[in-house]
């Protein structure tokens, strides 16, 4: 074969291999995204059916809300106090310096209620509960406990996954409310002690409350509920996907946490783009 | 004598079924033809060292069959959706060859789980029945701790309680006497007979010679797992 032809064959072969590899990688990536979405969709559809909420399923939901939400309260409060010091005091300090204290409420709402509060709540849940969900379900899968449940007519999707997905969403939402509230309170208290806050509590909180509107819900609700649902679905899927040995469990837990955090950031960014983008669109037109 | 039971609709039926076994156990299990009507018992002998083939799992439609079909109460498992399959499995009582417990629940929670999920019976009523069965099987009570803290023999008996609870239509017994003293055999056989009189079908898998040889176990069908085949041994007319 002439040298030139051999060259073209090599190029074509290389391109074909590259396309194959890209296609395979794309399919894998799409599967990693669509599979948890499919599980989430199934869980939500099941949750709408009263027949699935039997006593054992309700017990699982209650236990998961207790573990994921209630038992994370103290940790969330500690984190919120620190964030309150960091953000509220800084904001008050610098806005006072440039004489724009009237923007305090607006700034804190935008930063805390719309972004930081939901993000922190998602972090707390991923770190505390997401890894635990993945670990627990992986262990159950390896030990044959999922088969035992299935054999007794307890569909793992109904008994294991759905309550965890719902409980995670509820917990993220509630923890975000607590985080935002405690952040404001701690920020005010520390700011008052440092002399960074002026005008007293009435001025401080009324300035914030006066900026509260329905728009806050547009951010707060989806960033807590949607992210929470996805965390529950991703960690459940990761846990139940284990096929090998018990040594895989830490990897499963880590992978669940990383993927959940990636999704949390992604959802937050996309939602912000959509909502701010639509606001800009309305303003422009 | 067998004519009336032959005409009854079967509770469990394997039709020319071939099921896959774990790779370590090599290959498949073939030649599974079994028809159990109400009150009938099939005894299947397996090798002690080889463990249980996934016959009970196949009987519950939990493993896909390579060939043939498996039917429960005249419904083919492969044609049933998830919700229907779950409801059907709620009518089956089973003892598991391996652990068989959900570790984050106590034993008593494990035992009552199936009935609390599938029925509206009060927990108090279910517990009362469970305690009666526990006494019948020689347990002072249904163990309240988690599986890691309960002796193995008590765990096995607690599995019996779970399997018989709620008068299931089908009993799948995977080596139920494993680790249990010989004194436990008589009350267990009595419970199996009572279940059969109520109309339950029973598939009993055993590697225990004393069970296989026992005249008290009046098996309608006897099979032996030999290599890749399930071979019928004898048909009795009891």
């Amino acid at each position: 074969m002439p040298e030139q032809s051999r060259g073209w064959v090599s190029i074509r072969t290389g391109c074909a291999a590259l396309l194959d590899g890209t296609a395979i990688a794309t399919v894998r990536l799409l599967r990693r995204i669509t599979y948890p979405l499919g599980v989430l969709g199934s869980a939500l559809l099941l949750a709408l059916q009263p027949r699935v909420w039997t006593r054992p399923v309700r017990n699982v939901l209650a236990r998961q809300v207790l573990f994921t939400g209630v038992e994370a309260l103290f940790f969330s409060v500690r984190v919120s106090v620190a964030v309150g010091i960091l953000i509220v005091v800084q904001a008050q300090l610098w806005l006072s310096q440039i004489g724009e204290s009237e923007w305090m409420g607006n700034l804190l709402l935008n930063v805390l209620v719309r972004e930081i509060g939901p993000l922190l709540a998602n972090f707390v849940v991923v770190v505390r509960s997401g890894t635990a969900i993945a670990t627990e379900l992986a262990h159950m899968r390896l030990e044959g406990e999922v088969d035992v449940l299935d054999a007794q007519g307890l569909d793992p999707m109904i008994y294991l996954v759905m309550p965890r997905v719902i409980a995670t969403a509820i917990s993220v939402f509630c923890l975000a409310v607590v985080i935002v509230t405690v952040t404001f309170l701690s920020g005010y208290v520390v700011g008052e002690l440092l002399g960074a806050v002026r005008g007293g509590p009435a001025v401080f909180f009324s300035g914030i409350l006066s900026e509260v509107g329905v728009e806050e819900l547009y951010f707060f609700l989806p960033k807590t509920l949607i992210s929470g649902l996805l965390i529950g679905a991703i960690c459940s899927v990761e846990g139940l996907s284990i096929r090998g040995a018990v040594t895989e469990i830490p990897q499963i837990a880590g992978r669940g946490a990383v993927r959940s955090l990636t999704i949390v950031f992604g959802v937050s960014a996309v939602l912000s783009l959509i909502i701010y983008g639509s606001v800009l669109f309305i303003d422009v037109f | 004598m067998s004519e009336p039971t032959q005409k009854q609709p079967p509770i469990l039926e394997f039709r020319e079924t071939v099921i896959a076994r774990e790779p370590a156990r090599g290959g498949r299990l073939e030649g599974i033809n079994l028809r159990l009507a109400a009150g009938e018992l099939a005894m299947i002998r397996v090798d002690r060292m080889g463990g249980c083939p996934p016959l009970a799992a196949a009987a519950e439609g939990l493993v896909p069959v390579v060939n043939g079909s498996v039917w429960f109460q005249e419904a083919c498992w492969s044609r049933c959706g998830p919700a229907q399959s779950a409801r059907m499995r709620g009518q089956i009582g089973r003892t598991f060859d391996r652990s068989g417990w959900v570790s984050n629940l106590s034993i008593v929670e494990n035992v009552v789980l199936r009935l609390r999920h599938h029925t509206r019976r009060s927990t108090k009523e279910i517990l009362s029945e469970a305690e009666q069965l526990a006494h019948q099987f020689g347990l002072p009570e249904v163990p309240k701790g988690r599986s890691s803290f309960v002796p193995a023999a008590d765990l096995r008996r607690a599995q019996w309680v779970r399997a018989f609870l709620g008068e299931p239509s089908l009993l799948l017994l995977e080596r139920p006497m494993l680790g249990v003293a010989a004194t436990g055999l008589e009350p267990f056989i009595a419970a199996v007979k009572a279940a059969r009189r109520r109309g339950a079908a029973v598939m009993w898998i055993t590697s225990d010679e004393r069970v296989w040889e026992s005249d008290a176990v009046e098996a309608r069908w006897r099979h032996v797992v030999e290599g890749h085949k399930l071979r019928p041994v004898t048909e009795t007319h009891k």
Side-chain angles (χ1 to χ4, degrees):
Chain A
M1 185 187 282
E3 206 167 293
Q4 202 178 20
S5 299
R6 276 204 297 270
W8 278 117
V9 168
S10 300
I11 290 170
R12 281 206 303 271
T13 309
C15 286
L18 183 64
L19 281 170
D20 273 347
T22 308
I24 290 169
T26 305
V27 166
R28 278 193 188 143
L29 178 65
L30 283 173
R31 191 174 185 278
R32 276 218 306 262
I33 296 169
T34 56
Y35 188 62
L37 284 176
V39 168
L40 175 57
S42 301
L44 290 175
L45 282 174
L46 283 170
L48 292 174
Q49 300 173 39
R51 66 165 182 90
V52 307
W53 289 103
T54 62
R55 289 168 290 180
V57 175
R58 295 198 300 268
N59 280 352
V60 173
L61 176 69
R63 282 180 179 171
Q64 288 299 315
V65 170
L66 177 70
F67 171 69
T68 304
V70 175
E71 291 184 3
L73 269 176
F74 283 122
F75 178 55
S76 300
V77 165
R78 289 198 296 270
V79 167
S80 308
V81 166
V83 169
I85 295 168
L86 290 169
I87 292 179
V88 175
V89 173
Q90 289 280 333
Q92 183 69 18
L93 208 62
W94 295 109
L95 285 173
S96 306
Q97 292 229 349
I98 60 174
E100 298 286 358
S101 296
E102 67 272 16
W103 286 100
M104 179 67 157
N106 213 328
L107 180 68
L108 288 178
L109 272 175
N110 280 315
V111 170
L112 281 174
V113 175
R114 296 183 182 185
E115 308 292 347
I116 300 291
L119 259 183
L120 271 180
N122 281 302
F123 275 147
V124 167
V125 166
V126 168
V127 163
R128 269 196 91 257
S129 305
T131 50
I133 288 172
T135 303
E136 182 190 19
L137 294 182
H139 180 264
M140 290 180 78
R141 168 67 83 186
L142 276 184
E143 293 297 313
E145 295 178 23
V146 177
D147 296 333
V148 169
L149 289 169
D150 220 352
Q152 297 179 81
L154 283 101
D155 187 335
M157 187 68 197
I158 291 174
Y159 183 76
L160 295 176
V161 177
M162 183 194 68
R164 282 164 174 77
V165 168
I166 303 295
T168 312
I170 293 172
S171 300
V172 168
F173 174 80
C174 295
L175 286 173
V177 170
V178 168
I179 285 171
V180 166
T181 307
V182 173
T183 303
F184 279 129
L185 285 172
S186 70
Y188 171 74
V189 167
V190 175
E192 189 64 63
L193 290 172
L194 294 176
V197 172
R198 296 188 184 86
V203 171
F204 180 81
F205 289 107
S206 64
I208 293 167
L209 287 171
S210 65
E211 298 294 333
V212 172
V214 178
E215 299 82 26
E216 271 51 63
L217 284 180
Y218 295 157
F219 289 87
F220 193 81
L221 281 178
K223 287 192 179 187
T224 51
L225 294 177
I226 294 177
S227 297
L229 289 169
L230 284 168
I231 291 169
I234 289 168
C235 292
S236 298
V237 163
E238 288 296 331
L240 291 173
S241 67
I242 191 169
R243 287 289 177 267
V246 70
T247 47
E248 276 188 32
I249 292 180
Q251 296 167 20
I252 294 269
R255 203 160 59 217
V258 166
R259 287 183 179 168
S260 298
L261 287 173
T262 307
I263 283 290
V264 162
F265 276 117
V267 165
S268 188
V270 166
L271 282 171
S272 291
L273 271 174
I274 292 171
I275 298 167
Y276 282 125
S278 61
V279 168
L280 281 171
F281 180 82
I282 291 166
D283 281 346
V284 166
F285 291 100
Chain B
M1 211 291 281
S2 64
E3 289 297 325
T5 47
Q6 288 291 346
K7 286 190 177 156
Q8 283 182 30
I11 289 180
L12 175 67
E13 192 173 4
F14 286 85
R15 296 181 187 172
E16 300 290 335
T17 312
V18 177
I19 56 177
R21 302 173 75 167
E22 287 173 22
R25 304 239 153 82
R28 312 162 159 192
L29 188 60
E30 301 171 350
I32 309 172
N33 281 292
L34 184 62
R35 189 180 186 280
L36 278 176
E40 294 185 343
L41 185 150
M43 179 78 71
I44 297 170
R45 193 171 99 181
V46 298
D47 177 47
R48 179 178 287 271
M49 301 309 292
C52 268
L55 275 168
E60 288 201 275
L62 289 170
V63 295
V65 297
V66 176
N67 209 354
S69 57
V70 184
W71 299 68
F72 174 67
Q73 292 183 331
E74 299 184 284
C76 181
W77 284 112
S78 61
R79 294 179 203 160
C80 296
Q84 185 186 1
S85 298
R87 275 196 303 274
M88 287 158 62
R89 288 177 192 132
Q91 300 173 56
I92 299 174
R94 181 173 166 187
T95 64
F96 295 83
D97 187 37
R98 294 178 193 172
S99 169
W101 299 107
V102 179
S103 55
N104 65 3
L105 298 176
S106 65
I107 297 300
V108 68
E109 286 173 329
N110 268 278
V111 165
V112 302
L113 184 63
R114 176 171 58 89
L115 287 195
R116 289 187 80 231
H117 183 69
H118 291 288
T119 71
R120 292 181 187 273
R121 292 172 62 187
S122 71
T123 306
K124 189 176 171 186
E125 188 190 331
I126 298 170
L127 275 171
S128 173
E129 184 185 337
E131 293 292 342
Q132 277 179 13
L133 283 167
H135 292 138
Q136 194 179 324
F137 293 137
L139 286 172
E141 60 174 4
V142 179
K144 294 196 171 36
R146 298 209 171 173
S147 54
S148 322
F149 303 103
V150 177
D154 288 357
L155 281 179
R156 191 61 65 170
R157 291 175 199 253
Q159 281 215 48
W160 301 353
V161 173
R162 181 175 60 184
F164 285 86
L165 194 60
E167 299 182 2
S169 314
L170 173 64
L171 283 163
L172 301 172
L173 308 172
E174 288 184 306
R175 301 205 286 180
M177 296 304 300
L178 204 62
V180 179
T183 49
L185 185 58
E186 192 182 323
F188 186 76
I189 291 176
V192 169
K193 284 182 177 173
R196 290 174 70 186
R197 279 195 297 273
R198 281 194 299 267
V202 182
M203 186 170 83
W204 186 336
I205 302 170
T206 184
S207 59
D208 194 328
E209 282 301 322
R210 66 189 167 172
V211 172
W212 181 254
E213 301 294 336
S214 171
D215 291 329
V217 180
E218 297 163 348
R220 175 80 168 83
W221 313 102
R222 284 176 178 262
H223 292 75
V224 174
V225 173
E226 285 181 346
H228 298 300
K229 286 203 175 291
L230 186 70
R231 184 175 66 79
V233 172
T234 181
E235 181 179 327
T236 58
H237 295 275
K238 291 181 182 173

